[in-house]
Each structure stands twice: as C-alpha cells, then as structure tokens.
Amino acid sequence: MEALKRKIKEEGIVLSETVLKVDSFLNHQVDPALMEAVGEEFVRRFARSGATKVLTLETSGIAPALMTALKLGVPMVFARKKASVLTDTGEYRVQVHSFTKRETNDVRIQKRFLSPDDKVLIIDDFLANGEAALGLVRLVEQAGATVAGIGFVIEKSFQSGATRIRETGYPVESLVRITRLLPEISFKE
Amino acid sequence: MEALKRKIKEEGIVLSETVLKVDSFLNHQVDPALMEAVGEEFVRRFARSGATKVLTLETSGIAPALMTALKLGVPMVFARKKASVLTDTGEYRVQVHSFTKRETNDVRIQKRFLSPDDKVLIIDDFLANGEAALGLVRLVEQAGATVAGIGFVIEKSFQSGATRIRETGYPVESLVRITRLLPEISFKE
C-alpha cells in the first residue's frame, strides 16, 4: 500500500532496531483519510471472507478496525484490557503479554458480542511478536466463532509474530511489511 | 438526532438512576454507520468553528472523534491515560477523575500534536460529570491553543457536567440530551 509506505518513510521515527514510532498518524494522532484508505484496502484483500464482525484490541487498533467495519457494513468490537465496572454478563477472557509495554493484561470481550455464527475479521495496528493478535484468535475460538482473517496495518516481518501468526493457518494480510528498520526502513516488495 | 435516540431506546440498558450502558453500539461493540452519522452531525453543528484538529480521550471517544475528523478533513488526536514507553518528547498532562471507573488518571498528549495555532474540537462519548471533557479543555489551554467547541454523543443532563461544561463559555453540542433514566429514558426535545 504505497500511501502507507510513503507516510511511514516521511513520518515514522525509528527508535531502535525493533521499535518504530508512528504516533503522528496511527497511535496517538490519527490520519482519518489514511485510515479510510486502510479500511478500503482491508476490504479488498478480505473480499471473500464473508466477515460478519471486525474485532480489535483497544486502543490503537480501533481506528483501522472501525474504518474496515464501516466499509464492510458490519459491527466492530474492541476487546478491553480492563474489566468494566458496568459489566454484568459473562465474558471471554485471555491473557496477552505486551513486550512494548512490559505488562500482561487480561483481554476480554462480552459474550453477547461474539456468537458461534460469527465470521470474525481480526484487525490490529502492528504485527510484532503476535501476542495481541494470537490472543484475539483465542477469544474467537473460545466463542466457537470462525476466524475469517487477520489483518495488520504494519508488519515488522523480522520479529517472531510474522511466522507465529501464519502458523495458525488463517488468512493473514499485512498492508506493509517491513524487513528492517536500520540503517533505513526497508519494505518487502 | 433521531437515529441515536432510537438506538438508545432499543439497545440502551439502564443499570441505575445515573448509569446507562450503551456497549452494543458505542462503548464495546461499535456501530460504524451510526458513528458516521454522528460525525456528520457534529460537522453540521460545528460548521463555523474552523476546527483544525479533533481531540478526544481514549478509549470510547475514538470512534465518534475519528468519524468527525474524517468528515472535517482534519487530524484526530486521542489523549492517553498511560505514559507510552516510546515517549521521548515533552507532553501536556492533566489529572482526570473517572466516577464510573473510580480512579484518577494522568491524561496526556505529546506537545508536538497541539500548537498555539490549533483550533481544537473536543469530542467525547458521554457527558456525565464533565471531568474528562474539562480535562481536555485544560490540555488545550496548556498548549495555548483555542477550544473551537465541545461535542458529546450522549449528555446526561441531570448530572453536574451539563452545567459545569457550559460554564466554560465554549460552544457545547450534545447530540442527545437525556433528562432522566428511570422509570424510562426521557429526552430533552
């Protein structure tokens, strides 16, 4: 996705061999027009998935997931990292470790928002170690629903998640795949 | 906004005299088409605001804020409740108390995403006690930027925020205003 590559080259900040900061258009400030294009591209790539729902994890996955769901015409659900004080019904729950934030969170979703009939398209901002997306896969499987596909805005192909997530056997699409960050950001063609 | 009233009547769950749960279309599962309509309505109501940026607070404000920013053609920024481990530059920071979650958070935004030239439209999902929105107002003021307006998807007019937020003197728009939750949900006409 050329517009996204260009944005990463122009505004991405490389902090180390593994850390890319894109908080000017994805993780803190968000570029809505780019997110709309991201949503359209996910819809194109998962055109035959028959997705009935888009699932992501708060917070940074919400923008691309919402735009994808809008273009697909289906609801979006974001899994939560904290129990809501308003929660009154059962929930599916898995543990997810974040290497970036150095913490393990219970990730949860209300049972009534995932049914065995659902075909779930999982969308997240980054594929690094794959922990978050694999947690979402387990949530979908807990619900007895089907994983329709897994989409990432940015894949860091040199980290372990790229292999781990494809070993699930589900369809995986990354809008850009980065092969290294230093000495300069390089993309897989 | 009639579509929103209808959705609240059909799917809102009243848990007490002050607590309305709308997690089937706004706070956990999100209705993207409704959020698009919400964005269009905010743009209509703030048509003359000259907003250069939309600001919200993670997590539930992101969907309506993103759609508003998309329709306005400006960036969206979400303030964060946690320090990013990737943060490397200065930030504006205020304390915000959440009565619903019974906790006080530092709410922060990177300085480079708010400049004195910005006219900031603040968007949030709920107006209850007004703590979150007043925190965002203080962030904008810290940056020396201008508050172009403050918009809420749902206002609970019987709580203190409705008065407190209007006392700021900034333009305030709530897409629906709820006057009471029990014995049934009633709207201000």
Side-chain angles (χ1 to χ4, degrees):
Chain A
M1 194 181 162
E2 290 308 315
L4 185 57
K5 281 185 193 169
R6 207 160 47 235
K7 198 82 171 175
I8 292 169
K9 278 183 195 161
E10 285 170 7
E11 299 185 17
I13 299 171
V14 176
L15 293 182
S16 73
E17 286 194 346
T18 56
V19 178
L20 171 67
K21 199 163 104 165
V22 289
D23 65 358
S24 71
F25 61 91
L26 185 56
N27 295 141
H28 184 16
Q29 181 167 261
V30 179
D31 180 333
L34 182 63
M35 289 305 109
E36 185 176 43
V38 159
E40 284 164 356
E41 180 67 14
F42 277 131
V43 170
R44 199 182 65 74
R45 296 197 186 199
F46 290 107
R48 280 184 287 270
S49 70
T52 61
K53 207 156 268 197
V54 174
L55 177 65
T56 191
L57 179 59
E58 63 177 351
T59 302
S60 293
I62 293 176
L66 179 70
M67 286 302 182
T68 306
L70 177 71
K71 303 295 173 182
L72 279 175
V74 302
M76 183 271 279
V77 181
F78 57 90
R80 289 188 165 278
K81 293 175 188 165
K82 277 192 182 179
S84 165
V85 294
L86 307 184
T87 295
D88 62 345
T89 58
E91 60 188 16
Y92 300 111
R93 196 185 313 175
V94 296
Q95 286 207 326
V96 170
H97 181 73
S98 165
F99 290 91
T100 318
K101 296 188 180 160
R102 300 178 198 120
E103 62 185 23
T104 298
N105 287 113
D106 270 347
V107 165
R108 54 194 85 217
I109 176 172
Q110 291 285 303
K111 285 189 175 176
R112 64 202 163 100
F113 298 132
L114 271 188
S115 87
D117 297 333
D118 276 319
K119 295 182 177 180
V120 182
L121 177 56
I122 293 169
I123 297 289
D124 207 0
D125 56 339
F126 265 98
L127 174 57
N129 299 290
E131 285 292 313
L134 290 166
L136 293 176
V137 166
R138 294 200 302 277
L139 278 180
V140 174
E141 291 172 346
Q142 266 186 43
T146 307
V147 176
I150 310 170
F152 301 96
V153 182
I154 301 173
E155 172 182 319
K156 292 185 288 181
S157 306
F158 53 87
Q159 287 180 285
S160 63
T163 302
R164 295 175 71 201
I165 203 78
R166 286 183 178 84
E167 283 173 353
T168 64
Y170 297 120
V172 176
E173 292 283 347
S174 301
L175 301 191
V176 302
R177 304 175 72 182
I178 295 176
T179 54
R180 66 177 186 194
L181 291 174
L182 290 173
E184 59 187 11
I185 301 172
S186 301
F187 298 99
K188 189 170 283 185
E189 292 310 321
Chain B
M1 195 179 161
E2 290 308 314
L4 184 57
K5 283 186 192 169
R6 206 161 47 236
K7 198 82 171 174
I8 292 169
K9 278 184 196 161
E10 285 170 7
E11 299 185 17
I13 299 171
V14 175
L15 293 182
S16 72
E17 286 194 346
T18 55
V19 179
L20 171 67
K21 200 162 105 165
V22 290
D23 65 357
S24 72
F25 60 91
L26 184 56
N27 295 141
H28 184 17
Q29 181 167 261
V30 179
D31 180 333
L34 182 64
M35 289 305 110
E36 186 176 42
V38 158
E40 285 165 355
E41 179 67 14
F42 277 132
V43 169
R44 199 181 65 76
R45 295 197 186 199
F46 290 107
R48 280 184 288 269
S49 71
T52 60
K53 206 156 268 195
V54 173
L55 177 65
T56 190
L57 179 59
E58 64 178 350
T59 302
S60 294
I62 293 176
L66 180 69
M67 287 302 182
T68 306
L70 177 71
K71 303 295 172 181
L72 278 175
V74 302
M76 184 272 278
V77 182
F78 57 91
R80 289 190 166 278
K81 291 174 188 165
K82 276 192 182 178
S84 164
V85 295
L86 308 183
T87 296
D88 62 343
T89 57
E91 61 189 14
Y92 300 112
R93 196 184 315 174
V94 296
Q95 285 207 328
V96 170
H97 181 73
S98 166
F99 290 91
T100 318
K101 296 188 179 159
R102 300 179 198 120
E103 62 185 23
T104 298
N105 286 302
D106 269 348
V107 166
R108 53 193 86 218
I109 175 171
Q110 291 285 303
K111 285 189 175 176
R112 63 203 163 99
F113 298 132
L114 270 189
S115 87
D117 296 333
D118 276 318
K119 293 182 177 180
V120 182
L121 177 56
I122 294 168
I123 296 288
D124 207 0
D125 57 339
F126 264 99
L127 173 57
N129 298 289
E131 285 293 311
L134 290 167
L136 294 176
V137 166
R138 295 200 302 277
L139 279 179
V140 174
E141 291 173 345
Q142 266 187 42
T146 307
V147 175
I150 310 169
F152 301 95
V153 182
I154 300 173
E155 172 181 319
K156 293 186 287 182
S157 306
F158 53 87
Q159 286 180 287
S160 62
T163 302
R164 294 174 72 201
I165 203 78
R166 287 182 177 86
E167 284 173 352
T168 63
Y170 296 121
V172 175
E173 292 284 346
S174 300
L175 301 191
V176 302
R177 303 174 72 181
I178 295 176
T179 54
R180 65 177 188 196
L181 291 174
L182 291 172
E184 59 187 10
I185 302 173
S186 301
F187 299 99
K188 190 170 282 186
E189 291 310 321

